[in-house]
Amino acid sequence: MRDLAERGYTDVLHTFSENDLAYYRGTIERIVELSHAAGLAVQLAPWGVGRTFGGEAESRFVTVHPEACQVLDDGRRVPAGCLNNPAYRAFCREWADAAVAAGADRVFWDEPHWMVPEHVNVAADRWACRCEACRERFGGELPAGLTAEVLAFREASVVDFLRELVAHVAARGGRSTICLLPLTEGAHGISNWDAVASIPGLDTLAADPYWKIFGEPAGPFVGRFARLVREAAERSGVRAQLWVPSFGLTAADVADLEAAIAAARDEGVDDLWTWGYEACAHMTSLATADAPLVWEAVTAALTRRPATTESAHSRAADLDVLSMRELVALMNAEDATVAAAVAEAGDELAGAIEAIAARLGRGGRLVYAGAGTSGRLAALDAAECGPTFGCRPGEVVALVAEGETGEDDRAAGSAAVRALRVGRDDAVVAVSASGSTPYALGALDAAREAGALRVAVVCARGSEIGRAVDHEVVVVVGPELIAGSTRLKAGTAQKLVLNMISTVAMVRLGRTFGGLMIGVAQDNEKLRARARRNLALASGAGDEEIEAALTAAGGDAKVALVSLLAGIDPGLARERLAGAGGSVRVALGSDA
């Protein structure tokens, strides 16, 4: 509860199942008390009660009271309480008494519905209910088919059921929320939402348009039901509330999630909720490998307080008392979210690399600028480019702030870029987890003055550095297990991004041939052996032929390869490479 409050949430919903009602009422009361202590308002939901409300919990009532259960159109009873049965209504009132007594600020009547065939293992075209209580309320035998008259009766029964429960809660000094399924037609749709919104004593009308379940596009689907909820709520003078899912979503769904929340706000609904805590990471059937990433994304969108690497991590409160194996597993699970976060920035990253490669292709340089972990990672990437791709000296360089205090020196960042005589053909990449490092900002100041390309690699949206560049690559990894320790997920993310920038740019420039480091600098015996092995793989030539080609090419593996593959002398091969900007593939042309 403290974690939710610290993240900016103001309310919480707790499930209150039949098992809780029977065995854990005191525990529920304690949970509500702790929620209030954390500053959160509380809703309690009848989780799976009678199998007529939302939730995966099993129902004890339907086992003990089969006579109060629904009857299918073919005469069979099914394990779901009948909304018109007096005994079942009395049980729901008993549950409501317990919810109010537990201190709930609102009772959340979650997805009230008739029997759902798949929930009770019957054919999808079956319907209910034709029990004695329903026949009495209907005024005679119900038709065997799901006619318009039957549909109207079922809808009226749901509304009457809710009217009784809301009145019961109000009589005990409580308030109610009714959350309708996002359906207006069919076996489970409520065609007249005004009939629900106008129930006396109702506090809030809600809906949960979980677009993925219905196979609908996120923005339009959520926007449609947000508008329906708001308009019905306004006409009856009650509050409007909307729910979005964070369960069962992957990194690829984050854009839809953000679009859904934006659509709800565009329709005037600001009371927004998500199901459920930590994107249901602890619930096997609803979790995904990306649950931590989804949780950070939905939290940022709902609270409008972007999670940063400085934020407290929800699973770090007891970090120092976990076992060694638990710590290893937890860190591994956190690291596993990084690749997905980088993938989310794929379009921006591709655009940035395209622009960087164009500058390098004109003879420019790739200049990294950063401090602390970010600067050291940049220096490592720059140092590897020469040996790996045969970059000319100074083609890829890193400017790193001196010491831990150097990162605060904006002027030093500017001076370092000016000292390199950065120009229009160069690309300056500022690397900063926070997106606010003064040294990196200073480097961008000078890069802008020089007309150089400016790129940001950051881990926070809306940062100062992000606003100062031509291309912004944002990889949101969320809170670190050790708050603010950006050498963890943020550092891993930056390393992956820098790997891509340098490697993909060099591939685009032809510094490789296929997947081979054909431009590798031959500075030691291992690298010399690698160059010969790559020539053999690329050309199919034997050892003697490769040695002869390398000798004739003055040791230049790229010249030797073009000579071997095109069957030309080293001088002509060198000319072709020069005309091709160093690309073996282009130099070979039709010979490739």
Side-chain angles (χ1 to χ4, degrees):
M1 298 306 104
R2 285 195 300 270
D3 174 57
L4 285 173
E6 289 170 0
R7 286 173 175 271
Y9 288 101
T10 58
D11 299 56
V12 62
L13 180 145
H14 294 300
T15 60
F16 189 7
S17 69
E18 290 184 39
N19 199 51
D20 296 327
L21 178 66
Y23 303 110
Y24 297 101
R25 286 180 63 165
T27 303
I28 293 295
E29 290 174 4
R30 178 62 175 155
I31 289 171
V32 172
E33 179 186 343
L34 291 171
S35 302
H36 285 155
L40 301 170
V42 177
Q43 298 196 96
L44 285 181
W47 189 240
V49 167
R51 285 191 165 176
T52 64
F53 295 100
E56 288 81 9
E58 296 301 328
S59 171
R60 185 169 178 266
F61 177 88
V62 301
T63 302
V64 178
H65 298 283
E67 77 286 351
C69 288
Q70 297 177 37
V71 174
L72 293 178
D73 54 321
D74 63 6
R76 288 180 292 163
R77 282 201 185 271
V78 288
C82 174
L83 305 186
N84 287 322
N85 187 282
Y88 182 56
R89 289 194 175 195
F91 177 69
C92 290
R93 293 195 301 270
E94 177 189 337
W95 177 92
D97 288 340
V100 173
D105 298 287
R106 276 177 284 170
V107 175
F108 187 83
W109 301 108
D110 187 15
E111 298 179 345
H113 58 266
W114 288 100
M115 177 277 305
V116 177
E118 65 185 80
H119 293 175
V120 293
N121 196 33
V122 299
D125 60 350
R126 298 270 72 94
W127 63 272
C129 170
R130 301 181 74 209
C131 74
E132 298 84 353
C134 286
R135 287 201 300 271
E136 181 179 345
R137 184 174 291 272
F138 185 73
E141 192 70 30
L142 277 86
L146 202 57
T147 64
E149 185 181 22
V150 170
L151 288 173
F153 170 74
R154 282 160 52 95
E155 181 171 332
S157 296
V158 171
V159 175
D160 186 71
F161 174 67
L162 292 170
R163 184 181 293 112
E164 179 175 326
L165 295 178
V166 169
H168 184 79
V169 170
R172 279 146 183 77
R175 296 182 294 162
S176 290
T177 298
I178 295 175
C179 182
L180 296 177
L181 286 164
L183 294 165
T184 57
E185 55 189 21
H188 297 288
I190 298 294
S191 62
N192 183 5
W193 284 39
D194 285 317
V196 178
S198 62
I199 289 176
L202 183 66
D203 180 84
T204 302
L205 179 68
D208 49 5
Y210 297 164
W211 64 89
K212 204 169 179 181
I213 292 174
F214 290 88
E216 297 282 349
F221 188 64
V222 173
R224 172 192 167 196
F225 282 97
R227 182 167 57 256
L228 181 58
V229 166
R230 177 184 55 76
E231 290 178 349
E234 286 177 350
R235 283 191 290 268
S236 293
V238 298
R239 298 170 59 182
Q241 183 180 104
L242 206 80
W243 288 71
V244 296
S246 51
F247 63 87
L249 302 186
T250 66
D253 297 310
V254 168
D256 281 345
L257 182 60
E258 293 171 339
I261 293 169
R265 287 196 172 114
D266 287 346
E267 290 296 341
V269 179
D270 291 317
D271 187 9
L272 301 174
W273 295 61
T274 189
W275 191 278
Y277 182 60
E278 291 191 337
C280 295
H282 306 296
M283 192 171 182
T284 303
S285 65
L286 298 181
T288 72
D290 297 334
L293 177 66
V294 173
W295 176 237
E296 299 304 335
V298 73
T299 296
L302 288 177
T303 66
R304 301 184 181 183
R305 289 170 53 180
T308 70
T309 54
E310 299 288 343
S311 303
H313 195 287
S314 62
R315 302 181 66 184
D318 58 350
L319 199 64
D320 50 349
V321 298
L322 296 179
S323 70
M324 193 66 72
R325 188 66 188 88
E326 288 171 328
L327 283 167
V328 169
L330 182 54
M331 285 201 65
N332 184 250
E334 285 295 301
D335 289 341
T337 68
V338 175
V342 172
E344 280 293 294
D347 290 343
E348 295 79 8
L349 185 52
I353 298 173
E354 192 76 54
I356 290 169
R359 301 292 175 114
L360 292 174
R362 300 204 297 263
R365 295 167 292 175
L366 171 57
V367 180
Y368 293 128
T373 298
S374 300
R376 290 187 286 272
L377 288 170
L380 174 62
D381 193 76
E384 294 287 348
C385 286
T388 304
F389 302 110
C391 294
R392 66 184 186 276
E395 186 176 18
V396 182
V397 296
L399 302 176
V400 184
E402 294 184 8
E404 293 303 316
T405 59
E407 72 174 68
D408 294 330
D409 194 339
R410 188 162 181 160
S414 295
V417 168
R418 293 191 187 103
L420 275 182
R421 298 184 181 278
V422 164
R424 292 184 177 279
D425 287 338
D426 297 320
V428 175
V429 178
V431 190
S432 167
S434 67
S436 60
T437 306
Y439 181 88
L441 282 164
L444 291 173
D445 291 339
R448 183 182 62 255
E449 294 169 2
L453 178 74
R454 289 160 290 133
V455 176
V457 176
V458 295
C459 295
R461 299 192 189 281
S463 69
E464 187 176 358
I465 284 177
R467 293 190 293 271
V469 297
D470 303 300
H471 295 271
E472 180 187 21
V473 179
V474 185
V475 182
V476 180
V477 295
E480 303 283 10
L481 275 176
I482 307 299
S485 183
T486 53
R487 69 185 186 87
L488 300 177
K489 289 188 298 184
T492 302
Q494 289 175 332
K495 181 67 171 71
L496 291 175
V497 170
L498 294 175
N499 283 349
M500 291 187 197
I501 288 175
S502 56
T503 302
V504 176
M506 295 303 163
V507 169
R508 175 52 59 91
L509 292 169
R511 306 294 176 83
T512 61
F513 186 72
L516 301 174
M517 294 187 292
I518 203 63
V520 63
Q522 302 172 54
D523 295 331
N524 56 47
E525 190 53 44
K526 180 187 75 173
L527 296 176
R528 284 190 286 274
R530 179 177 294 160
R532 285 159 174 74
R533 184 167 59 252
N534 288 344
L535 279 171
L537 290 170
S539 69
D543 292 346
E544 291 185 5
E545 191 177 3
I546 286 171
E547 285 298 331
L550 274 171
T551 300
D556 190 322
K558 292 171 71 175
V559 172
L561 180 58
V562 173
S563 179
L564 286 168
L565 290 177
I568 58 179
D569 65 71
L572 183 53
R574 199 178 302 278
E575 288 179 13
R576 283 199 187 183
L577 279 167
S583 169
V584 171
R585 184 80 63 183
V586 176
L588 288 170
S590 60
D591 299 313

